Structures are given as structure tokens and as C-alpha cells.
Amino acid sequence: MATVTMTVNGKSVSGEVEGRTLLSDFVRNNLNLTGTHIGCDTSQCGACVVHVDGKAVKSCTIFALEVEGSTVKTIEGMANPDGSLGVVQQAFQDNHGLQCGFCTPGMVMSAAALLDENPNPTETEIREYLEGNICRCTGYHNIVKSIQAAAVAA
Amino acid sequence: MPENGIGASSVRREDIRFLSGNGKYTDDINVHGQKYVFFLRSDVAHGKINSIDTSKAEAVSGVVGIFTGDDFVEVGGLPCGWQVTDRFGEVMKEPGHPVLAQGKVRHVGDPIAAVVADSLEIARDAAEVINVDLEELPAVVDMKAAVEGGTLVHDEIETNLCYDWGFVEENRDAVDEAIKSAHHVTTLELVNNRLVPNAMEPRVAIGDYDASNDQSTLYTTSQNPHVIRLLMGAFVLQIPEHKLRVVAPDVGGGFGSKIFHYAEEAFCTLAARKLRVPVKWTASRTESFITDAHGRDHVTKIELALDENGMFQAIRTDTCANMGAYLSTFSTSVPTWLHGTLMAGNYKTPLIYVNVKAVFTNTVPVDAYRGAGRPEATFQLERVIDKAAREMGMDPVEIRRKNFIQKDEFPYATPVALEYDTGDYDATMDKLHEIADLDGYEARAKASREKGLLRGLGINCYIEACGIAPSNLVGMLGARAGLYESATVRVNATGSITVMTGCHSHGQGHETTFPQVIADMIGISEDQVHIQHGDTSNTPMGMGTYGSRSIAVGGAAMVRATEKIIAKAKKIAAHLMEASAEDIELKDGSFSVVGTDKSVGWGDVCLAAYVPHNYPLEELEPGLEETAFYDPANFTFPAGAYACEVEVDPDTGKVDICSFAATDDFGNVINPMVVDGQVHGGIAQGIGQALREHAFYDENGQLLSGTYMDYSMPRADDLPSFVVDHSCQTPCTHNPLGVKGCGEAGAIGSPPAVVNAVIDALNKGGFDVNHIDMPLSPSRVWTAING
Ligand code: FES
Ligand code: FES
């Protein structure tokens, strides 16, 4: 066991982890931030995407110890300071960009990272960027629409 | 469009918790003191278990318990919920389905032993040192080989044939005769590829036992917690309902795969009782691939007889349907009653005969997956019609139109036992022409040609039977359950409402759409209505969500209960206003006496019901709470027309979907935005089936596409945006909302549209290709082009 310390959603946190503990497990089990989801065991689905130092990362592909000292943001950190939905989240609700909600945290985190890099993406750019996020419910149509709406609203 | 109530595109209230990370899925639940289970699963498709030595594993520190099949001999096997009777009047073969393998393993993934330990890592490490003496047997994977005999999946039934079903058996000779004497017969042999449903949330089960009151609780990823309680309690573990609570909290997609009762649910419930600790299991995705029931997997020959004018005379089909190694909960109903009865489609074919042989193989069990039987029926019918049109030199839309059941012919009794209540198939086809811009097709084809690509257009129709189902009818057909739905409407003292429904929402949006209905009926705001579902301890017995049934059956139950509420509330209002109940009118949340200016608000009446100071206590009980069970009089029959345009690259065989348009008649629509979303998702799954997805077994019974690296899920950049429309509405005549259901349509209507489009592209490009089996991967298309 080793101690790892990082900033998660603006708060400094630390915990005891094994070398093999994944960031996704640390966030879910140690921090009880269960918004980050696990949809696969081959790094293919993107349900687990979080931001590490501002970049979208599949948290199941990285060990907790690797992010020592980093700044992590999860879906729980995406709301406005007053607790209302942030711009990307609100766009997903307004455009029915989610159904069962399981892929949604990863989708929102990926979408936010895309809009950081490219504030006005085309439909093709959005679809290509989401290559690593699988959604089984929506057919992506309304996810694309949500991200376009978020781009306009931002 | 209204802003509140029926017809409004209200945004979904449940989204707020999902979007902020506050959803509560089963894996987010941790019960104090819980232990973790790891299942040791067979890595061979077929084998004899000679012995299992768990002694080394028992010695691993942190192991709490180890179980094998021997520990479960006293409990029942997993039951099948539908008994099919074959052509000869014999009931189907129904071999046992043990919770943990007994004597033999029958598919890769079959559980041999289970280790419960302090952590998942310990359980997994301990499972590795369990010594299983497993004698590998030859596997039977191919259905034809299975029917011919040789290797038996279940020795005790002496055959791999579960049943040989004929429908309608009395039509058999007449159909043979009609085909023999027909002007033209089009024949098509095709495969409906095996799929893995792949809800994004893997299955989870947590068993908990409270010795203080002898109460078991199962938290599970289920579409129908009451059904699980019934099956597991009554048939597997013999726990009476009042001692068993099943909770299905937020569930991350189902698509059918979370209807069924699975071994892991029974295991965790029983292990918790035996060990007196909570036991949790979370599937890895790899485990999901080899334990979640798969879908489809039919091999079919269909013959369509036509007269010289292209009028359909008869249909004969011959299908082998894969059951996998065991009978999953509703597996037997899918290729029979959910498939054979749909073979009339949207057309007036007078004679139909369907033969289905259900076959055991050494593969994962196969059961309902989005559409369940109806996609299989639609695919073969709409493919053979396209082929017939080509053979007879007719336009594929014209041949369909001239065979349509006409709008003035409803109700229409098909030769395969259904009575369609309403429809207008020409209207949906007209609408499709408009929204798919079919007039602009030639120009787009020319542009494709200039790029060196082959463009094709695929059009087809579909009909489905939803809102399953009249209980007495399905009982006659072999269902071992009723298929009503229930709702309790509890009006609170201050006028807000809690609805407890037996339906379950796992993406469909019931928490938003059900309140729209009540808001409309009473004239209050949707926000005042709260939907409670997913827990057998606080909802009435209901059959759950599948088969596009929630609004048509569960919504109807809620309407009935609300009608009772309104009737009672009117009596209270009448008392308050010293009038007769017959003279009371409810509008916009206010009761008034007809022809006067007297009125009393909804909230005042509710308060009077719970604070009955001024109240007709001699005639009326206090309180305002009603329950209704609704048993549908018939199925509902959503129908539509779909168009797909593709570009095929002749050099590589790669298919691109350029556009996809869908017109659906769902009857009345509660929330158009939610309905659009359901159709989008269904179309994506149908395109996935047509072009990418395939659960592929090798001859040894190994699933070669068992991860997301090999099983090609449709991703955002594989799909276009869709054009969908549901403005053609012929309301259902027999449920109070006039709704038909929309959950499966997209997955039913889309695969033939894609394949028809590709075949059209190839033929227009000069390649004489009649059919390619799904998925239409580049290599299959390229091979078809290059002979
Ligand atoms: S859980 Fe991380 S990519 Fe699937
Ligand atoms: S909303 Fe269910 S997987 Fe995307």
C-alpha cells in the first residue's frame, strides 16, 4: 500500500492504494465519487473519462499512483458553483443527449475536453472526437446535437 | 406543441442526477460488510466435470466461502417462462439449468465454482488455485449439425432439438399447394446474425440477508424486479415473496438482456443467506460477453409466391433458431410467438406457414434482444420482397404499396393469428418519400458516381406487435406468467402525487413522461407528480419493461388508477360544494359545478381527503389512493417505413451510410423528444447489426468476438444523423391513451433498409448480387462484388 495525494474537483484528497489500483477504482471506491462509470475492461468504452490536468483521460487506463500531485476533475465537478448544471450538462438535458445515463459522465467529460480544444467543432469533428466513447442508447444523434448546442451556449 | 402534459417535449427530470454523477446504479451500492464473489467459469464449450478440488483455495487468507454445483443440488434450476408446444402436440424439451454447473459445462462462461472473499482480488486469486478435472468433449456449435445429432448438449433429453414448431399448422398443405402452383416464387436463404446486447452497464447482483427478520434482499440490474422475485423466489430458492425484496435501482440500459433471471442473482441471494454476509458480484465486460443472453441467431429459408401482377399469394419459411446451451427465461417465445405471428407484415398475404426448429448448441443462451423475433420476421420478409421486385422487374415501393393492407380494411385479421387494430401504411410511405427527399435521389446518385462510389437506396416497411400482452391469450400460447401491468396512484395531502408503477425505466424516461399523462388528466403541473419504480417493497406487482409495453400497458394502468382517483375526488368536491357528483367537472386542476360559478381547487379536495373534517365519512373512506391492474385487450401495432441511402466503395467493399430516414406510426405520442430518442437508438442498433456486429463462434465454441476490440459496436463516427418523423398517427383503439409503443421500432425496421440499400447499390453498379449476410463487412461486400 502507498499513499497518493491529488486534487479532485477542487479538493485535496489522499488515500491508501495498491500499485495496481486504477484511477477509476480510486475515484469510485476510495472517494465514493460513483459518477465515473466502468463499462469495459479493455479501455474501449469511455464511460470512465475524467480530466487529469485539463486533459480527457480514460481513468481505467491509468494507475492512481501515476496521478500523484495532479488535478483531477470528474463529472461531480462539472456543475456551476451554485449547483446548477454546467453548460455542457445543461445542453445534454435540453437536447435529450442521454437515456440510461451510463455513458453520460464519460460523454460529458469528453465533450467538455473537445470544446476546450475546439470551441466550434463541426459535426464530423464531434463524431470523430467521440470515437472512444460508446453509447448504446442514443445512436449519438442527440449527443452530437447537445455538443453543438453547448458550443453555441459557451 | 403543448408546454405541459401529453404532447409536450418536456426535458427529462431524471437527467439532472445522471448528468451530475448522482445516478444510483447497482454497482454504486455498497452494503456494509459486503464480500465479493468471483465465478470460475468454463473456458471450454463442452466438458465433463470429473472432480473439483477446492482445498488449496479454501486455505487462501480472506476467503469466506467456496461453492460448486454440489452446494446447489437442493435448489431448483433457472426456469424457462414459456412452454412451446410443437407441431405434433408435444411440449418442448426443457433440460435443467443449474445455478452452478453440475456434472457438465455446456458453454464457455458456464460457472463451475464461486469464491466469496474479502476482496475481489482475493476471490480471483483463490479461484486460480481451484483444481478442476475437466474432460473436454466435442462441442456442437453449428445448428444444422446439432439437429442431425451426434454430440448432445443435454444427454438426458437425447436430442438437440428443443421443438419443431409449425404455424399455422393447418395452413401447411394449402401453403405448399399455393407455392407449387404460383406464377412466380422468390426464394431467399439468409442468416440473422447473433448479437450481444451490450447495455453499457454490466450486470451486477448484491445479495443481502437480514437474520433478524429472515429477509433476503437482492439488488440487481433488472428491467423487471417483480419478475425476478417471482422466478427466483418461487422456482429457484423457494423464498416466499414476503421474505424477498428485489431492488433494481438506476439501470444502465437493458435492450432485453436484463429481463432474464440469471444464475448470479440466485447465487448472491443464496450465498448471503448461507454465509450471513452481503455478497456482491459485478460483471466485467468480458464476463458480460459470455454470460448475458445473446440475441437473434436465426438461419432461415423464405419463399414468397406471387401472381403475375406481383400480388403476394403465400409465404413459407423454414427457420433454425439457436437457443444456446440452456433455455433462458423467454428464449422459447422469441422465434415462435414473437416471430411467426409477424410474418404477414404490412401486407395482405392470404396464406402463411412458418416452421421453426429451436436448437441447443454449446453457446451462450439466446433470448430476447430489442425487437425479439420481430426483427427476424421483418428482415426476411422485407428482404424477400426486394428480391421479388427485382426478379419481376417491379419497383420495390410499388410492389409493397399494392400489397398493403388498406387503411379502410382495419381491423384486419392476418392469417397468422393477429388482429391489427389500426394503420395507414400508404400515409407513412408518403411521408417517407417527403422526409427522405426521394425525389432528389437521382442527383445524389450521380454525385456518388462521379466520386467512383456506388449509391444505393433501400426502402422497407415494418410492423410489430407491442404492448405485450393479453394474459389469457399468452397463457393459451404457453406463457407461464400474466402480462398485465399495475400502478398505484397516491395523492398526498397537499395535492402532490406519487405513482408506484410495476414498469421499470432504464433509459426510457418514465420519470418524465408518466407525469405528463397525469398532469394532463388532472390539470396540474408535471412537477407535482413523482414516479417510483424498481423496488418490489414499494411498488405493486408488475411485469416490468420490455416489448415496448410501458406506456401502452403500464401507462394504461396508471390512467385507470387516476380515473378512480378523479371519480373519488369529484365526490369529495361535490360534498364540499353541496352539489351532486355527476355535476362536477375537473378542469385545469379545479373542480366546478356545471352551470354555476362554484369551484374548489385540486389541493383543497386532496386536503379534505386527509383532514376529513368536512367530509362524507358515512359514504366515503378518507384518503386518496388507488391501484389499478391493466390487462391489455390486444397487442398494439406500431408500423412504419424506413429509407436508407448508402455509398459502397467498389474497391474496398466499405459501406457508408449517407442518410437514414424513418417514419413511424406510434399512435398518440406523449413526449415527441423522448420518442425521437428511442427511434434514434433503435436505428443505431439496427445499423450495427447490419454492418458491424457479430457474436462469432469458432467450431470449438470459442466466442471470437468477445471484447470491444473484436465486437464492433457502432460508434459516433460510424453513423449519420437521422431524420425521423412520427406525425402519421392512427391511435390504438383499445388502450385509453391510444398509444402503441416506440422502443423497438428502430431496431426492427432498420436492418433490411441497410441491406436493401447495399444490394441496390451493387445491382445498379452492375454487380449481380442477390444477398449478403449481415454484418455487411467490407470483406463480405468485396467478396460479393468480386465473385
Ligand atoms: S471503463 Fe474505461 S474505457 Fe471502458
Ligand atoms: S445513454 Fe445509455 S449508454 Fe449512452
Side-chain angles (χ1 to χ4, degrees):
Chain A
M1 287 287 200
T3 306
V4 64
T5 304
M6 61 186 89
T7 303
V8 177
N9 300 334
K11 277 194 226 126
S12 174
V13 297
S14 56
E16 294 292 304
V17 295
E18 291 184 49
R20 61 179 165 178
T21 304
L22 299 170
L23 177 59
S24 51
D25 291 329
F26 178 73
V27 167
R28 285 182 59 81
N29 302 336
N30 294 54
L31 305 181
N32 201 27
L33 294 172
T34 54
T36 298
H37 293 156
I38 313 294
C40 74
D41 46 9
T42 53
S43 307
Q44 292 277 313
C45 77
C48 63
V49 170
V50 301
H51 295 174
V52 176
D53 297 328
K55 290 255 173 307
V57 170
K58 288 179 172 171
S59 63
C60 74
T61 61
I62 178 169
F63 294 116
L65 286 173
E66 287 178 74
V67 293
E68 169 71 33
S70 293
T71 298
V72 174
K73 195 185 224 186
T74 69
I75 188 70
E76 288 88 348
M78 293 297 283
N80 294 324
D82 67 356
S84 62
L85 295 180
V87 173
V88 180
Q89 293 167 309
Q90 189 60 56
F92 270 69
Q93 186 189 26
D94 292 343
N95 293 280
H96 192 26
L98 62 151
Q99 291 181 26
C100 78
F102 199 79
C103 73
T104 307
M107 284 289 176
V108 168
M109 299 313 284
S110 287
L114 164 64
L115 293 175
D116 268 355
E117 279 172 32
N118 178 358
N120 278 307
T122 62
E123 172 169 352
T124 307
E125 285 169 337
I126 294 172
R127 289 185 178 273
E128 280 169 4
Y129 192 88
L130 295 182
E131 222 279 327
N133 291 77
I134 306 178
C135 173
R136 191 55 151 172
C137 297
T138 63
Y140 306 99
H141 179 111
N142 283 343
I143 291 177
V144 172
K145 232 170 108 184
S146 302
I147 297 173
Q148 287 170 326
V152 172
Chain B
M1 194 183 287
E3 280 175 19
N4 190 51
I6 293 175
S9 281
S10 304
V11 297
R12 300 199 325 171
R13 58 179 77 179
E14 49 268 68
D15 289 359
I16 293 182
R17 70 173 185 276
F18 295 143
L19 281 163
S20 43
N22 293 321
K24 201 169 195 67
Y25 299 87
T26 312
D27 193 44
D28 302 337
I29 295 172
N30 293 299
V31 184
H32 182 68
Q34 75 192 12
K35 306 294 178 190
Y36 300 82
V37 56
F38 181 82
F39 290 95
L40 178 66
R41 298 182 182 279
S42 178
D43 55 7
V44 302
H46 196 192
K48 185 160 167 274
I49 302 171
N50 288 325
S51 64
I52 305 173
D53 179 1
T54 58
S55 52
K56 269 202 203 138
E58 274 156 34
V60 173
S61 157
V63 169
V64 181
I66 298 180
F67 298 84
T68 67
D70 288 348
D71 299 300
F72 283 80
V73 283
E74 83 278 13
V75 304
L78 304 174
C80 178
W82 201 300
Q83 185 178 58
V84 170
T85 303
D86 76 4
R87 306 179 32 212
F88 311 103
E90 303 275 320
V91 296
M92 67 187 193
K93 299 285 191 302
E94 201 171 350
H97 186 180
V99 174
L100 294 175
Q102 290 175 1
K104 237 175 138 181
V105 287
R106 296 185 175 85
H107 67 85
V108 171
D110 215 358
I112 298 172
V115 181
V116 181
D118 290 343
S119 73
L120 183 59
E121 290 75 18
I122 295 172
R124 194 186 289 131
D125 292 346
E128 262 174 36
V129 296
I130 294 178
N131 197 349
V132 184
D133 178 0
L134 191 66
E135 185 183 326
E136 190 170 351
L137 300 169
V140 52
V141 177
D142 178 64
M143 284 196 274
K144 218 165 141 227
V147 175
E148 281 160 11
T151 300
L152 292 176
V153 180
H154 296 274
D155 303 304
E156 71 273 20
I157 59 169
E158 296 173 351
T159 170
N160 289 322
L161 190 61
C162 177
Y163 54 73
D164 177 354
W165 184 76
F167 185 69
V168 172
E169 193 60 24
E170 296 73 55
N171 289 351
R172 189 181 170 96
D173 294 339
V175 169
D176 287 350
E177 193 45 49
I179 286 177
K180 217 189 311 164
S181 58
H183 167 77
H184 182 84
V185 178
T186 297
T187 304
L188 186 58
E189 294 186 36
L190 46 82
V191 173
N192 205 294
N193 42 327
R194 180 187 275 245
L195 304 174
V196 181
N198 269 307
M200 288 318 296
E201 177 204 27
R203 287 189 298 115
V204 181
I206 307 169
D208 191 14
Y209 179 65
D210 181 350
S212 73
N213 59 6
D214 187 32
Q215 181 84 25
S216 286
T217 300
L218 170 69
Y219 301 91
T220 183
T221 45
S222 176
Q223 302 176 214
N224 31 243
H226 286 279
V227 174
I228 301 304
R229 186 179 65 163
L230 180 69
L231 294 175
M232 184 175 80
F235 297 98
V236 188
L237 302 181
Q238 280 84 46
I239 304 172
E241 279 109 321
H242 65 288
K243 294 291 184 192
L244 179 58
R245 174 182 170 211
V246 177
V247 184
D250 286 330
V251 170
F255 315 112
S257 69
K258 291 170 181 169
I259 299 171
F260 323 121
H261 177 36
Y262 287 97
E264 295 85 1
E265 295 171 321
F267 176 84
C268 290
T269 307
L270 189 62
R273 277 175 96 92
K274 290 196 176 191
L275 298 170
R276 302 284 162 111
V277 289
V279 173
K280 180 171 184 174
W281 170 73
T282 303
S284 66
R285 179 58 59 182
T286 303
E287 242 176 335
S288 306
F289 269 100
I290 53 171
T291 65
D292 291 4
H294 292 178
R296 318 281 192 256
D297 206 352
H298 285 194
V299 176
T300 293
K301 177 180 172 189
I302 178 166
E303 295 156 286
L304 171 65
L306 306 98
D307 72 9
E308 55 280 9
N309 300 317
M311 299 304 290
F312 305 161
Q313 304 298 302
I315 291 169
R316 180 167 64 194
T317 75
D318 201 340
T319 289
C320 272
N322 207 334
M323 294 285 102
Y326 302 100
L327 295 181
S328 174
T329 312
F330 288 114
S331 56
T332 50
S333 65
V334 175
T336 51
W337 300 108
L338 296 177
H339 160 250
T341 53
L342 272 299
M343 283 312 305
N346 312 51
Y347 313 104
K348 287 189 285 189
T349 312
L351 284 165
I352 297 177
Y353 180 72
V354 177
N355 184 222
V356 178
K357 294 182 183 70
V359 180
F360 291 107
T361 59
N362 291 116
T363 61
V364 168
V366 181
D367 207 325
Y369 166 59
R370 201 169 195 168
R374 291 151 288 170
E376 294 89 323
T378 304
F379 184 70
Q380 51 181 291
L381 182 60
E382 295 295 329
R383 284 288 302 124
V384 81
I385 292 172
D386 246 44
K387 185 166 181 234
R390 189 163 293 115
E391 286 174 357
M392 296 188 68
M394 293 178 70
D395 177 76
V397 172
E398 267 334 292
I399 196 171
R400 286 178 167 87
R401 281 192 191 263
K402 69 196 296 186
N403 282 284
F404 275 163
I405 300 160
Q406 300 298 310
K407 69 170 182 237
D408 56 4
E409 291 174 323
F410 293 93
Y412 182 84
T414 73
V416 275
L418 295 178
E419 184 175 284
Y420 301 165
D421 59 347
T422 53
D424 186 347
Y425 307 144
D426 275 311
T428 45
M429 191 59 97
D430 292 344
K431 191 72 193 177
L432 183 73
H433 197 102
E434 174 195 326
I435 67 165
D437 181 25
L438 296 185
D439 292 336
Y441 175 75
E442 278 313 324
R444 295 190 294 274
K446 183 157 171 278
S448 297
R449 275 196 300 276
E450 281 160 11
K451 290 187 284 179
L453 301 171
L454 313 175
R455 198 174 188 104
L457 170 65
I459 294 183
N460 62 272
C461 303
Y462 78 89
I463 185 159
E464 52 170 333
C466 296
I468 182 166
S471 293
N472 52 3
L473 174 67
V474 295
M476 258 156 44
L477 305 182
R480 290 164 167 160
L483 285 167
Y484 50 82
E485 197 44 81
S486 62
T488 296
V489 175
R490 176 179 297 161
V491 181
N492 302 306
T494 55
S496 68
I497 294 176
T498 308
V499 179
M500 288 144 269
T501 166
C503 292
H504 187 280
S505 184
H506 32 278
Q508 296 87 343
H510 300 168
E511 290 171 42
T512 300
T513 55
F514 280 30
Q516 291 182 244
V517 173
I518 295 204
D520 220 63
M521 290 177 76
I522 298 176
I524 53 175
S525 134
E526 292 166 21
D527 309 338
Q528 281 185 271
V529 186
H530 170 77
I531 304 295
Q532 189 164 295
H533 65 95
D535 185 341
T536 60
S537 74
N538 61 24
T539 55
M541 171 75 182
M543 299 310 288
T545 288
Y546 40 81
S548 309
R549 72 192 297 273
S550 294
I551 196 68
V553 191
M558 182 178 70
V559 169
R560 291 282 183 255
T562 307
E563 284 166 356
K564 294 188 202 178
I565 293 281
I566 292 171
K568 182 170 177 183
K570 280 185 176 171
K571 289 185 190 158
I572 301 169
H575 176 88
L576 294 176
M577 294 187 282
E578 296 174 346
S580 152
E582 290 82 69
D583 296 335
I584 304 294
E585 197 179 66
L586 170 62
K587 200 164 174 261
D588 298 333
S590 170
F591 297 89
S592 55
V593 184
V594 186
T596 73
D597 58 359
K598 279 202 234 172
S599 73
V600 51
W602 167 253
D604 295 325
V605 170
C606 300
L607 192 64
Y610 288 93
V611 187
H613 295 164
N614 175 15
Y615 194 90
L617 283 167
E618 317 71 51
E619 296 143 42
L620 220 50
E621 292 172 11
L624 207 44
E625 173 168 331
E626 299 287 350
T627 294
F629 284 72
Y630 179 82
D631 206 280
N634 190 358
F635 294 91
T636 62
F637 298 99
Y642 285 17
C644 177
E645 281 183 37
V646 297
E647 278 179 347
V648 181
D649 182 338
D651 297 331
T652 62
K654 186 167 183 305
V655 177
D656 267 323
I657 308 267
C658 309
S659 67
F660 200 104
T663 52
D664 296 284
D665 174 359
F666 294 132
N668 294 335
V669 162
I670 308 299
N671 183 321
M673 178 190 77
V674 165
V675 169
D676 285 352
Q678 291 293 306
V679 177
H680 297 156
I683 293 173
Q685 289 181 354
I687 293 176
Q689 166 164 33
L691 295 184
R692 321 186 69 85
E693 297 180 41
H694 194 187
F696 184 79
Y697 279 95
D698 72 8
E699 68 277 12
N700 299 317
Q702 294 292 335
L703 179 62
L704 297 187
S705 49
T707 73
Y708 285 151
M709 322 241 234
D710 318 293
Y711 187 94
S712 180
M713 294 281 280
R715 293 173 187 260
D717 56 352
D718 300 319
L719 299 169
S721 285
F722 310 117
V723 184
V724 303
D725 181 277
H726 35 75
S727 62
C728 298
Q729 300 181 346
T730 60
C732 171
T733 55
H734 57 79
N735 65 44
L737 290 166
V739 292
K740 297 188 176 182
C742 66
E744 297 159 297
I748 294 171
S750 56
V754 177
V755 179
N756 287 349
V758 173
I759 299 299
D760 183 58
L762 298 189
N763 278 273
K764 282 182 184 145
F767 301 102
D768 182 21
V769 175
N770 277 317
H771 182 68
I772 306 172
D773 275 323
M774 301 186 290
L776 272 58
S777 59
S779 75
R780 285 184 175 188
V781 175
W782 189 89
T783 305
I785 291 175
N786 292 280

